[in-house]
Amino acid sequence: MIEVEVRGEMPPESAEYARDMVLGVARHARDPVLSVRVRLMQGRDPAVRRSAVARASLDVNGRLARARVVAETMHEAIDLLKDRLEYRLARLEHWDRWPGGLFVGPRRGAPGP
């Protein structure tokens, strides 16, 4: 399940583009992705150069991979968001495999295998 929230004026295809980009990242997760949330916010002040903000969080078997980026355009922000989420997801998976890592297995209360 993916939830996309849009605030501000932006091209109508932005929500669908963000959905496609984030779902593409989620497909590469090693563990089940339980939920995905995306927020797109476009500021109105023309004096603010980088007013496009994109945020996302993926619940990967009870662990969160979160990212937040700002850019000049919403399209650029979504592209940066995709890259940042890929990095965050890779870090989650790295710590799961690391022998002395901080975390091994699902969090308490998360659905098990």
Side-chain angles (χ1 to χ4, degrees):
M1 174 182 167
I2 183 167
E3 176 186 341
V4 179
E5 179 183 338
V6 176
R7 293 186 182 175
E9 295 180 21
M10 64 189 74
E13 66 274 0
S14 295
E16 190 63 33
Y17 184 62
R19 179 187 319 271
D20 292 345
M21 288 292 125
V22 173
L23 284 177
V25 172
R27 284 188 194 104
H28 292 100
R30 193 169 40 107
D31 293 324
V33 176
L34 305 177
S35 68
V36 179
R37 183 172 185 190
V38 179
R39 296 169 116 186
L40 306 176
M41 295 164 280
Q42 181 66 56
R44 294 182 180 173
D45 187 354
V48 177
R49 192 169 145 226
R50 295 175 13 166
S51 63
V53 180
R55 295 180 181 187
S57 63
L58 282 85
D59 181 342
V60 183
N61 201 28
R63 301 199 56 211
L64 291 179
R66 295 180 182 170
R68 178 187 181 277
V69 297
V70 295
E72 290 186 31
T73 67
M74 188 53 68
H75 189 84
E76 179 186 3
I78 294 167
D79 288 342
L80 290 171
L81 184 68
K82 175 188 170 282
D83 294 342
R84 182 80 47 91
L85 274 177
E86 287 173 344
Y87 173 77
R88 300 282 189 208
L89 186 62
R91 283 190 64 189
L92 277 180
E93 292 176 353
H94 169 77
W95 280 107
D96 284 348
R97 290 190 305 261
W98 193 260
L102 300 174
F103 175 82
V104 177
R107 282 190 171 174
R108 237 181 351 173

